[in-house]
Amino acid sequence: MTHSKIVIVGGGPAGCACALLLAEKKIPVTIIEKAIFPRDKICGDALSLDVINQLGMISPDLAAQFQHISNKISIYGGRIISPTGHLWEVPILTKNQHNNAYVCPRLDFDNFLFQYTKGNPTVEVIEDCRVQSLDYDADTRVNIVTSKGVMKADLVIGADGAQSTVARHFSSDRNMDKKRTSAALRRYYEQVTGFHEENYIELYFFRKTIPGYLWVFPLADQKANVGIGILSSFISKKKINLKETLDELISTHPMLKARFAHARALESVKGFNLPLASRKRKISGDRYLLLGDAASLIDPLSGEGIGNAIRSGRVAAMHIIQHLGQGDFSAKTNQLYDAEIYRRMWKELQFSARLQRILRYPQLLDFVIKKAKASPRIQQTLRNIMDDIHQQKQRLHPKFYWELLTK
């Protein structure tokens, strides 16, 4: 039996971000990870500008080392396709700018971040280690029973994904709500043709995918990440078979059929659930904090979760640093973590949830895309926002978007 003040369950981006910032302050931390890296994480594989910016906030060296990952490509914009086929191309960055968005397989990105964290001498990493149960003992510690023995911790960080073991054992706010969950499938392909020369990601809002979308993202070595995600409540209501819908669209739809004529699937479809941040949840309690997907911090509109996962790891580290001296990680004190998470993220998440509801109305979505496509003012404004997303997104308000689209 061993004792560690801070134990992080999960070695993904949220857990690594938290561990690295604690290690910077010479605070020992242990990461328990059920897999052996490199391991796949089913995802669209897009790394937004927000993600890249946050790597630099954790460590300039980390951001510099990320540039050496070979299996990634820079992306400079997106193609958005409306239900009736209106194509809107949105440039994000020019090739002359320093920071880019990327598409990089999570197998490579997560392994890079994990190995970088593992190399820090202040961080203990235990791989191939499954958490079997957690409970409290009489000494105000947490007992963590794992496949490799029992640990005691003053604080447990649940960074172990949508099916979080930590959340399952400690949180009472874990009932799956199909109205706030998306189901998604991903499949890798090679020899998909017709990509934009500047590697635009593609989002198709077909009637059969609403409220959701089909994506086609370019990858290095002429490969592609192709997938579909739809709100779970609509899947149940309309009895949608996601795999059949995905296969039908890429093989028969006029905008995709020719591009996939000679494509070859590199794997069977892989499924995953996305717990969306369309309501506030209780993400902490007595001697535990939840991060990333375990805290249901996935953007309701885009389905992107990496940026918020890293951000939650940063907030958790600051919370721990502030309260470690007093050793107070009670439920009351940890409520400050919840408050800080939602202070930083809630306006953006709430607005994404409102926009996500537009996806239920194909005619309204068509109007918005047609309006944006035809307006140079809207296009330039959105470019400015995307070029400085870390600075801009905290200042944007729903009224801004309404005026942007109606004037």
Side-chain angles (χ1 to χ4, degrees), residues 65-120:
Q65 292 301 319
F66 167 77
Q67 297 301 325
H68 297 299
I69 296 179
S70 59
N71 196 22
K72 69 180 187 301
I73 61 171
S74 299
I75 56 175
Y76 300 101
R79 286 172 167 168
I80 301 174
I81 296 85
S82 79
T84 57
H86 293 284
L87 170 62
W88 178 30
E89 293 192 340
V90 187
I92 297 177
L93 290 171
T94 67
K95 290 184 178 180
N96 296 324
Q97 290 177 287
H98 178 68
N99 288 330
N100 297 328
Y102 297 89
V103 178
C104 178
R106 290 292 297 275
L107 180 77
D108 299 293
F109 177 72
D110 285 14
N111 187 53
F112 154 74
L113 196 51
F114 182 80
Q115 299 301 339
Y116 186 94
T117 306
K118 188 177 179 180
N120 191 300

Side-chain angles (χ1 to χ4, degrees), residues 88-91 369-385 404:
W88 178 30
E89 293 192 340
V90 187
I369 292 176
K370 285 171 63 178
K371 178 78 173 178
K373 178 182 176 182
S375 171
R377 179 177 63 88
I378 293 175
Q379 294 168 24
Q380 186 57 52
T381 300
L382 292 177
R383 281 192 204 102
N384 293 341
I385 292 168
L404 191 66

Side-chain angles (χ1 to χ4, degrees), residues 168-182:
R168 187 172 69 250
H169 278 83
F170 285 146
S171 176
S172 60
D173 191 10
R174 295 301 298 173
N175 293 330
M176 179 177 172
D177 184 347
K178 290 185 177 181
K179 293 181 180 179
R180 294 180 172 87
T181 304
S182 282

Side-chain angles (χ1 to χ4, degrees), residues 78-90 202-207 209-210 212-214 255 301 355 358-376 378-379 382 401 404-406:
R79 286 172 167 168
I80 301 174
I81 296 85
S82 79
T84 57
H86 293 284
L87 170 62
W88 178 30
E89 293 192 340
V90 187
E202 302 172 12
L203 305 177
Y204 294 85
F205 294 94
F206 295 135
R207 288 182 179 272
T209 67
I210 289 175
Y213 59 83
L214 181 151
M255 300 189 77
L301 180 65
L355 284 182
I358 293 177
L359 301 185
R360 305 179 190 188
Y361 306 100
Q363 290 180 325
L364 180 57
L365 182 58
D366 260 316
F367 166 77
V368 171
I369 292 176
K370 285 171 63 178
K371 178 78 173 178
K373 178 182 176 182
S375 171
I378 293 175
Q379 294 168 24
L382 292 177
Y401 292 97
L404 191 66
L405 293 171
T406 56

Side-chain angles (χ1 to χ4, degrees), residues 37 42 45 60 65 75 86 90 96 123 125 137 140 151 171 175 209 233 236 268-269 291 333 343 362 364 397:
F37 276 69
I42 306 167
D45 294 338
Q65 292 301 319
I75 56 175
H86 293 284
V90 187
N96 296 324
V123 181
V125 174
D137 66 15
T140 67
M151 297 188 67
S171 176
N175 293 330
T209 67
S233 58
S236 297
S268 59
V269 291
L291 277 57
T333 296
R343 185 190 71 80
L364 180 57
H397 188 276

Side-chain angles (χ1 to χ4, degrees), residues 241-253:
N241 184 308
L242 277 186
K243 181 181 181 301
E244 290 180 0
T245 302
L246 177 63
D247 290 341
E248 177 187 350
L249 287 170
I250 65 176
S251 62
T252 66
H253 196 281

Side-chain angles (χ1 to χ4, degrees), residues 93-240:
L93 290 171
T94 67
K95 290 184 178 180
N96 296 324
Q97 290 177 287
H98 178 68
N99 288 330
N100 297 328
Y102 297 89
V103 178
C104 178
R106 290 292 297 275
L107 180 77
D108 299 293
F109 177 72
D110 285 14
N111 187 53
F112 154 74
L113 196 51
F114 182 80
Q115 299 301 339
Y116 186 94
T117 306
K118 188 177 179 180
N120 191 300
T122 309
V123 181
E124 177 188 21
V125 174
I126 307 173
E127 293 179 80
D128 192 23
C129 182
R130 289 185 172 270
V131 174
Q132 298 169 339
S133 66
L134 302 100
D135 58 32
Y136 300 112
D137 66 15
D139 298 322
T140 67
R141 292 174 181 170
V142 180
N143 292 320
I144 309 169
V145 180
T146 78
S147 57
K148 294 189 174 182
V150 180
M151 297 188 67
K152 284 184 176 289
D154 297 329
L155 179 69
V156 175
I157 309 296
D160 47 342
Q163 307 301 320
S164 170
T165 300
V166 177
R168 187 172 69 250
H169 278 83
F170 285 146
S171 176
S172 60
D173 191 10
R174 295 301 298 173
N175 293 330
M176 179 177 172
D177 184 347
K178 290 185 177 181
K179 293 181 180 179
R180 294 180 172 87
T181 304
S182 282
L185 299 179
R186 180 211 74 191
R187 183 190 280 149
Y188 287 128
Y189 283 85
E190 63 180 2
Q191 299 178 22
V192 179
T193 61
F195 283 110
H196 191 282
E197 62 182 6
E198 293 189 337
N199 298 326
Y200 282 21
I201 61 173
E202 302 172 12
L203 305 177
Y204 294 85
F205 294 94
F206 295 135
R207 288 182 179 272
K208 285 194 173 184
T209 67
I210 289 175
Y213 59 83
L214 181 151
W215 71 82
V216 182
F217 292 173
L219 288 164
D221 301 322
Q222 298 183 326
K223 296 177 182 178
N225 181 318
V226 181
I228 185 173
I230 301 177
L231 201 64
S232 296
S233 58
F234 276 75
I235 292 175
S236 297
K237 180 180 179 180
K238 298 184 178 182
K239 297 180 171 55
I240 298 170

